[in-house]
Amino acid sequence: MYDDIVELAKRRGFFWPSFSIYGGFAGFYDYGPLGVLLKDNIIRTWKESYMEDGAIFLDSPNITPEPVFRASGHLARFSDLAAECEKCKSKFKFESVLAFNKQDIIPANLEEAKEMASDTYLKCPVCGSRITNIYDFNLMYKVSGDYYLRPETAQGIFVNFKLLFNYNRGKLPMIVGQAGKGFRNEISPRQSLIRLREFNQCEIEVFLDPENLEFKSLYDYKKIKMKPNTGEELDITVKEAFERGLISSQAFAYFVLKTQNILENIGIESSKLRFRQHDPDERAHYASDSWDAEGLIDNEWFEIVGIANRTDFDLNNHQSSSGETMTTKIEEREFIPYVIEPSYGIDRILLTLMAQSLETRDGKNVLKIPYPVAPYHFAVFPLMKKENLKEKAEYIYENMKKQDKYIVYDEAGTIGKRYARQDEIGTPYCITVDYQTLEDNTVTVRSRDTAEQKRIKIEELLDLDFINSYIYKK
Ligand code: GAP
């Protein structure tokens, strides 16, 4: 499925490797015309969903001065264990050398990794020579002087905490979001959008009173897949997971459920979505607990959202380093707020959505992306390029566009080919103007998901509320 999606994405204009006329450079991808629409719709779903919980948003620079990352710990600790083959000069994440050599034990630090490489013959995955050169590799890009490209959007929010808190009239909980680019000098970029060097993040920082780590009440009914680091995968409600002590706070449980709901609304299948808790030695330097939302593609689980309990780690460090107070006072109590952070990787979500949505019908691709995030909602066609049919189809297209911009007009090729093209790019409905239209003002509406066709009156078509209830929800 993964290979099929990457091929479809390039051919149909969703995404493709960047700079290909110069041979391509690993870890960079462009979004084409349909990918831009799909990505924006995913981001809109994320944003509107957090607005329901009162989120406010920020847009801060990509280029960030060194003191920010000295304070946040990224300068000293945002690194991967890397390995270089001295013979063929290939570079790898140490983790992938271990996987290639079928080693299950992951060393906790550089010393342990070096010890392991001296005790065990670790083969280079490319040339088979012994790997001995292991080192720490900082993932941040230094741009010039004392500036770095941000590896996460979160620090922009932390350094602005005081201004945002004042804007929020000194109230907690406060939810702040930022959608933007993250940059990481990944040692081995891979699998198109999975591990990029420049990627799209939508991050949420929830600031809470550490003595009241609660948010809205938890629904009781919905079971989700959770894999705690202490045992097997469970089908469990977040309420139960919290009550059993698997999740550290009520607020954390709320944002796990929120993430499940957002991903489902985007179109990730609940049976192909789970939350996996990090082992203690797997956590980022700032986290006291982390759960990854993972999506399933071709029997492999990929992290698509990381949810971390960042405690007061970042605000505390920025307070000590900058001298600016991050301490707040609520009802005579002074404290530095705690942070829960659901961090969404939009590229991985988009890829997972496309891979999970692709089906074949009669040997042809059908991309069953949900209506709200599909690049186009409707395609309008004249049955043939005859003047009277074209005129009517253009009239319908222009009128519908006044109410819904996500509409495409197509008159090229046979009607069967046009249906197939729209099925493959995920357009839920095709509207065809034919000779009967000229007689009785009705058109054919064809559903992508069932290939069923219905005739309806043009006036009804232009009433989008009607078409949504009549066709979409059936
Ligand atoms: N602020 C926390 C943070 O950045 P993360 O788990 O490193 O946490 C969050 O990243 C999400 O960003 C991940 O779940 C993933 O979807 C996405 N992401 C991280 N690195 C990526 C990369 N190199 N390429 C594509 N997406 C990436």
Side-chain angles (χ1 to χ4, degrees):
M1 202 54 86
Y2 169 79
D3 292 336
D4 297 336
I5 275 301
V6 171
E7 184 278 324
L8 185 159
K10 184 171 180 190
R11 184 167 44 80
R12 288 295 187 195
F14 283 90
F15 58 83
W16 52 64
S18 305
F19 315 118
S20 57
I21 63 164
Y22 289 104
F25 292 83
F28 299 99
Y29 267 73
D30 296 335
Y31 283 98
L34 295 177
V36 168
L37 294 177
L38 180 58
K39 174 163 77 76
D40 286 354
N41 289 341
I42 292 173
I43 294 174
R44 184 173 35 76
T45 307
W46 163 83
K47 185 178 239 170
E48 288 177 359
S49 176
Y50 276 101
M51 285 174 82
E52 284 171 17
D53 279 341
I56 54 176
F57 297 89
L58 178 78
D59 189 356
S60 68
N62 290 328
I63 298 177
T64 307
E66 183 181 284
V68 174
F69 296 127
R70 192 171 292 289
S72 69
H74 284 82
L75 217 50
R77 295 165 70 184
F78 194 62
S79 53
D80 272 347
L81 283 175
E84 186 183 24
C85 172
E86 282 176 357
K87 182 131 190 255
C88 73
K89 299 292 170 205
S90 302
K91 293 189 170 86
F92 310 94
K93 276 182 106 161
F94 189 56
E95 237 173 73
S96 53
V97 174
L98 294 180
F100 181 78
N101 285 276
K102 302 199 169 29
Q103 296 285 330
D104 296 334
I105 299 166
I106 310 276
N109 52 42
L110 183 59
E111 281 60 47
E112 279 183 34
K114 282 184 167 168
E115 209 171 294
M116 188 172 192
S118 81
D119 294 349
T120 319
Y121 190 104
L122 295 174
K123 260 198 208 168
C124 167
V126 173
C127 73
S129 307
R130 183 166 186 175
I131 292 217
T132 50
N133 184 15
I134 320 288
Y135 52 97
D136 260 329
F137 182 79
N138 191 291
L139 297 178
M140 284 198 298
Y141 279 108
K142 191 163 185 163
V143 280
S144 81
D146 286 337
Y147 292 93
Y148 290 84
L149 290 177
R150 62 183 182 192
E152 58 171 4
T153 70
Q155 295 304 324
I157 298 177
F158 296 135
V159 298
N160 278 296
F161 170 72
K162 268 288 172 183
L163 289 168
L164 291 162
F165 188 61
N166 287 343
Y167 172 87
N168 208 41
R169 301 195 179 158
K171 275 191 279 170
L172 293 180
M174 173 172 80
I175 304 182
V176 185
Q178 175 156 218
K181 296 271 187 169
F183 305 84
R184 295 183 191 175
N185 192 5
E186 297 284 359
I187 301 160
S188 49
R190 66 178 176 112
Q191 285 167 295
S192 64
L193 305 184
I194 294 285
R195 196 183 298 147
L196 293 162
R197 290 185 161 136
E198 176 174 338
F199 53 96
N200 292 277
Q201 280 192 321
C202 281
E203 298 204 283
I204 290 288
E205 311 301 325
V206 186
F207 296 90
L208 295 147
D209 179 342
E211 287 190 16
N212 184 14
L213 294 175
E214 290 201 7
F215 202 73
K216 289 184 188 168
S217 66
L218 301 171
Y219 306 104
D220 202 7
Y221 63 88
K222 185 172 184 170
K223 289 195 172 170
I224 65 173
K225 290 186 190 307
M226 298 196 77
K227 189 172 185 312
N229 59 20
T230 47
E232 291 304 299
E233 186 175 296
L234 306 164
D235 276 320
I236 191 170
T237 67
V238 289
K239 189 161 185 269
E240 205 185 333
F242 169 56
E243 284 164 1
R244 283 170 55 176
L246 300 174
I247 302 186
S248 51
S249 69
Q250 192 269 2
F252 201 111
Y254 178 85
F255 288 99
V256 168
L257 181 60
K258 175 107 192 156
T259 299
Q260 169 91 15
N261 289 338
I262 290 175
L263 292 173
E264 279 183 31
N265 287 342
I266 286 167
I268 305 295
E269 279 180 45
S270 58
S271 62
K272 295 181 181 168
L273 175 61
R274 72 172 186 189
F275 289 82
R276 184 186 66 82
Q277 187 178 29
H278 283 199
D279 286 327
D281 58 8
E282 192 189 351
R283 289 178 201 141
H285 62 275
Y286 48 73
S288 71
D289 187 19
S290 289
W291 290 77
D292 286 345
E294 297 182 325
L296 192 65
I297 307 177
D298 289 343
N299 296 321
E300 205 183 327
W301 291 101
F302 292 97
E303 174 194 348
I304 54 178
V305 180
I307 309 181
N309 182 353
R310 291 182 83 132
T311 64
D312 58 0
F313 179 89
D314 299 270
L315 291 184
N316 222 334
N317 287 349
H318 285 305
Q319 175 169 287
S320 324
S321 298
S322 67
E324 190 72 37
T325 179
M326 301 287 171
T327 305
T328 59
K329 192 170 178 187
I330 291 182
E331 290 164 5
E332 300 310 310
R333 265 186 317 112
E334 287 197 354
F335 57 86
I336 293 182
Y338 265 39
V339 171
I340 289 170
E341 176 195 64
S343 171
Y344 296 70
I346 298 305
D347 313 281
R348 291 187 188 178
I349 292 173
L350 183 145
L351 181 73
T352 309
L353 167 65
M354 287 185 69
Q356 292 188 359
S357 304
L358 188 62
E359 292 180 14
T360 48
R361 184 171 58 222
D362 303 331
K364 295 204 175 92
N365 287 332
V366 183
L367 195 63
K368 293 189 172 175
I369 299 177
Y371 179 93
V373 293
Y376 291 114
H377 295 153
F378 301 98
V380 180
F381 312 144
L383 181 65
M384 285 191 279
K385 272 193 197 166
K386 297 252 170 71
E387 213 38 61
N388 45 359
L389 294 179
K390 270 177 68 166
E391 212 175 274
K392 195 84 178 173
E394 280 166 7
Y395 166 83
I396 291 172
Y397 168 66
E398 291 300 336
N399 274 281
M400 286 183 77
K401 224 166 49 166
K402 289 180 194 151
Q403 297 174 61
D404 182 348
K405 301 285 178 270
Y406 297 86
I407 300 189
V408 64
Y409 177 84
D410 189 5
E411 55 181 36
T414 64
I415 194 76
K417 280 205 173 127
R418 279 179 274 166
Y419 283 147
R421 190 180 303 145
Q422 296 304 324
D423 283 348
E424 195 172 39
I425 68 168
T427 308
Y429 302 109
C430 291
I431 295 161
T432 305
V433 170
D434 56 19
Y435 290 106
Q436 195 179 326
T437 313
L438 302 179
E439 283 163 22
D440 65 4
N441 262 341
T442 61
V443 286
T444 304
V445 179
R446 174 185 174 278
S447 154
R448 170 198 70 193
D449 293 349
T450 61
E452 268 173 24
Q453 302 196 7
K454 291 198 171 187
R455 281 206 86 81
I456 68 170
K457 291 204 172 93
I458 292 178
E459 309 87 82
E460 291 171 341
L461 192 58
L462 294 176
D463 174 0
L464 286 185
D465 284 343
F466 173 78
I467 197 164
N468 286 343
S469 63
Y470 181 60
I471 298 175
Y472 179 56
K473 290 187 186 132
K474 84 182 158 57

